Amino acid sequence: MQRRVSPAFYVVAILYSLVSLVPFVWSIYTSFKPTAGVYDTWVPLSKLTLQSYKYLLTSPQVSFMQWLLNSVIVAVIVTIGNLIVNTLAGYAFARFRFPAKGPLFMVFLAVMMIPGQVVLVPMYILLAHLGWINTYQGLTIPFLMSPFMIFLTRQFFLGMPNELEEAAKVDGLGPWGIFFKIFLPLSRPLIATQTIFTFQGNWNSFLWTSLLESSQNMYTLPVGLNNLYGQYNAYWNQVLAGVLLLTIPMIIIFFIFQRQFVQGISTSGIK
Amino acid sequence: MRKWQKWSSVAATAVMGVGLLAGCGSQSTSNSSTNASAQNLGTASNPVNLTVGIASSGPAETTLVNNQVKAFEKQYPNIHVTVKPFSGNELQDLQAELAAHTAPDIFYVDSSIAQQLESSGAIAPLDNYMKQDNFQTSAYETSLMKAFQWQGKQYGIPKDENSLALESNMTLLNKAGIQTPPKTWSEFETDAAKLKAKGIAPLAFPIDVARYYPFVLNFGGSYYDAASNKVTFTNSANDAGLNFFLKNEREGYLVNPSNLGGTWAGVPFAQGKVAMVAEGAWLIPSMQQTAPNMKYTITDFPTQNGKASNMVYTVAYEMAASSKNPAAAAKLLFFLTGNQAEQMTAKSGLAIPSYVPDQSVFLKSNPSYQAFVDGVKNGTAYQFGPSGNNFVNAINAATQAGVLKNLSPSAVLSQAQSTFQSQNQQ
């Protein structure tokens, strides 16, 4: 049965959406302002310009396309790696029995509670010894798994009925077959959620990337764009133009996976 | 469960665990030798490779340093130099790189973080190299050289300098019947009352010890005793200077830039929302870009009680103790802070050279910077010992609380002292 929603609800929701959109619209507007008028509250439409976007995309001092390529490479490798590793590990934790499973899982949970900043210097030293500074390996391999996502996957697979697995075994499927033919197709919302969160986390990653990459050619987009402003001398139109260009791929990813993502949230809510 | 299933799952989870622990890493710093060939300046067949780390303000500064390095390589053809701009937070990057022995041979160090790094032992003292190269310290202002000393040793040579001046929008001052910018802080109070009466914000001034510390010094106080490395917030001589700041905040003569819609004082000034700001020379390029048509005058930072105290902001080149070629790195460091390279800085107009003989070159093409050059002579370096970060956080938080809650100066200073002590005991 469908409930009637009061018109007042729509009014409040629309107003709230408009208010939430103001900073985003303001950012777009500022990105089109000329540098000389960047602090002016209103710049007439006739004075708006594409100069910031042109500068970002064509200036030899800003290797925008190289930074974009680096961001795509890193985010795609890390996302695919996480999907493989987290899902398999979650499956193992949820459905197999093996020695020290409990303590190992506790280690995973404990690692989730360590703030990233605490391990920054030791991790940097480790990667420096491996010769992975200024390399794609350094930006990807340490991040090919996520304790939180393993935990999430484990919880998801724990909820799968035993009967499903038993029936698959009767039909002659081994553990890999059960995983790929039964569990994986049923976990599309989980995969979509992981993809969005992992891609977004790595797409926006700044702290680790800025520490590890000192060569301009290896910058990712957030690190490169950070160089557009100094402590006092910010080119806000260029910064915001860069931020908007940085946001577009994330919006695309969200729209591709949004159906599964929303489905994931709704199914977990009605269990 | 079949045996292979069991062991494959054990192996999979064990690999994950090892990966995790490897991710966390261990503090295994090797003590690699730093004494390698103390005088190695390279040969044609076996050149020395050096790296310079810079916290660049933008492409123009990176180009300048690259050109300076080219001039150095011309003089020392067997030394090859690579310039690497820090991409994120310099201190954070440097701390990790110094720990991993991957830091550049020489790099920028801001005075505010200098002693934190110098006291850690990761920076090489320069005294022996200065003696070897007959380095002339008299070519630099004492306040600048002092900013890079720790326990009697010189760890850095300043590459540029900055101080505070008073920048005034004369159109707004004239509206309140004021013909010339104030020369003293008591004149300022009189002018500020006139401006406020006309509905004009008098002076955008952040609630920050980096700006108001001259008031404390002018009234005979001091927050930090460099000789004994002691924080002295609760010294009663500090009350009068802080009181001057708090009183002017309450009167609305000093206005926090965020209350005028800016992240720093230059924003409302460029928008014509405030009559005056007290900022360093970094204001000028920002004004050229954001308010190219606005006319404003630059005068000396006002005096108080007959004293012309000022804050000095400076950046030095320092050398990593882990440098494999310290003698060559020292040559590069002295070159980049010496006559030829500093003349290039002067001509670029990007920063005020710290090498005094080159300042006339800079002032010839940038006469409006005179007040910033003069300010250094009466300046105190912006640094408060190896716990400078905690120091600044403690006093700024307490001062902001003092402004918001209308606290007395002694209450603000007690709060700062106890916050600083509790942070340093952690």
Side-chain angles (χ1 to χ4, degrees), chain B residues 86-404:
Chain B
F86 290 106
S87 51
N89 178 318
E90 187 199 350
L91 179 60
Q92 196 167 271
D93 289 6
L94 255 181
Q95 281 174 330
E97 290 176 0
L98 288 167
H101 292 189
T102 58
D105 296 276
I106 66 167
F107 40 80
Y108 283 10
V109 174
D110 188 275
S111 64
S112 61
I113 59 167
Q115 292 181 331
Q116 186 180 339
L117 292 174
E118 290 157 4
S119 63
S120 74
I123 309 287
L126 300 174
D127 303 75
N128 288 339
Y129 303 105
M130 288 164 69
K131 215 183 266 174
Q132 272 169 26
D133 281 40
N134 197 22
F135 185 83
Q136 295 299 310
T137 53
S138 57
Y140 303 84
E141 291 289 350
T142 315
S143 60
L144 296 178
M145 291 297 279
K146 257 189 170 177
F148 302 102
Q149 286 167 6
W150 174 245
Q151 295 188 333
K153 287 182 180 162
Q154 191 73 40
Y155 283 87
I157 308 296
K159 71 173 189 69
D160 57 26
E161 62 175 47
N162 228 312
S163 68
L164 297 173
L166 187 72
E167 296 88 4
S168 309
N169 179 333
M170 289 313 295
T171 313
L172 292 179
L173 259 65
N174 291 344
K175 269 188 191 166
I178 303 160
Q179 300 310 316
T180 52
K183 286 184 179 137
T184 68
W185 283 106
S186 49
E187 277 177 31
F188 163 79
E189 285 182 298
T190 313
D191 291 347
K194 290 180 192 167
L195 286 160
K196 202 182 159 197
K198 288 274 177 192
I200 300 167
L203 174 62
F205 203 85
I207 304 170
D208 190 343
V209 69
R211 296 289 181 280
Y212 82 76
Y213 195 54
F215 302 147
V216 176
L217 299 171
N218 289 340
F219 280 93
S222 167
Y223 283 173
Y224 176 67
D225 179 4
S228 60
N229 182 28
K230 271 206 175 130
V231 171
T232 54
F233 287 131
T234 44
N235 179 351
S236 59
N238 294 331
D239 288 10
L242 178 59
N243 187 49
F244 177 82
F245 173 73
L246 293 174
K247 188 185 77 179
N248 275 274
E249 276 280 344
R250 258 175 243 132
E251 294 285 350
Y253 297 166
L254 302 178
V255 187
N256 196 8
S258 59
N259 293 346
L260 297 166
T263 47
W264 69 291
V267 176
F269 190 64
Q271 290 172 318
K273 287 182 181 172
V274 65
M276 293 176 272
V277 289
E279 291 289 333
W282 51 80
L283 180 80
I284 297 176
S286 169
M287 290 296 287
Q288 282 166 351
Q289 285 151 18
T290 56
N293 300 322
M294 182 186 281
K295 290 203 169 62
Y296 61 98
T297 61
I298 304 169
T299 50
D300 288 345
F301 193 68
T303 59
Q304 195 168 32
N305 300 335
K307 291 182 184 168
S309 299
N310 206 317
M311 293 305 286
V312 167
Y313 312 92
T314 177
V315 173
Y317 275 110
E318 299 203 348
M319 190 206 296
S322 59
S323 171
K324 292 191 177 87
N325 297 291
K331 294 266 183 231
L332 176 62
L333 193 154
F334 295 144
F335 181 88
L336 291 175
T337 52
N339 185 16
Q340 193 180 341
E342 289 275 275
Q343 249 188 43
M344 294 165 83
T345 302
K347 282 175 187 158
S348 76
L350 281 174
I352 303 169
S354 53
Y355 188 76
V356 174
D358 287 340
Q359 286 176 354
S360 53
V361 179
F362 176 82
L363 289 171
K364 211 173 166 186
S365 45
N366 302 282
S368 57
Y369 283 66
Q370 185 71 52
F372 305 110
V373 174
D374 292 344
V376 174
K377 294 185 179 79
N378 306 302
T380 302
Y382 176 55
Q383 69 175 188
F384 301 101
S387 303
N389 273 344
N390 287 348
F391 176 104
V392 171
N393 290 340
I395 187 63
N396 280 351
T399 313
Q400 278 159 15
V403 170
L404 292 171

Side-chain angles (χ1 to χ4, degrees), chain A residues 35-36 39 61 85 96-98 108 111 122-124 126 129 150 175 207 210-211 213 219 223 226 232-233 235, chain B residues 1 4-5 9-10 13 16 20 22-24 28 59 87 92-93 96-97 100 102 211 264 271 282 286 289-290:
Chain A
T35 305
Y39 290 142
Q61 288 157 343
V85 177
F96 294 157
R97 268 182 285 163
F98 52 86
F108 274 78
V111 167
M123 238 174 122
Y124 181 88
L126 181 77
H129 283 304
I150 290 173
L207 183 68
S210 71
L211 181 66
E213 306 307 336
Y219 285 175
V223 178
N226 182 55
Y232 294 106
N233 230 344
Y235 297 84
Chain B
M1 191 190 288
W4 72 268
Q5 284 176 17
S9 54
V10 170
T13 38
M16 304 290 306
L20 249 177
C24 291
S28 59
S87 51
Q92 196 167 271
D93 289 6
E97 290 176 0
T102 58
R211 296 289 181 280
W264 69 291
Q271 290 172 318
W282 51 80
S286 169
Q289 285 151 18
T290 56

Side-chain angles (χ1 to χ4, degrees), chain A residues 21-34:
Chain A
L21 275 174
V22 167
F24 192 64
V25 173
W26 190 258
S27 302
I28 297 173
Y29 179 54
T30 305
S31 72
F32 289 105
K33 286 181 187 174

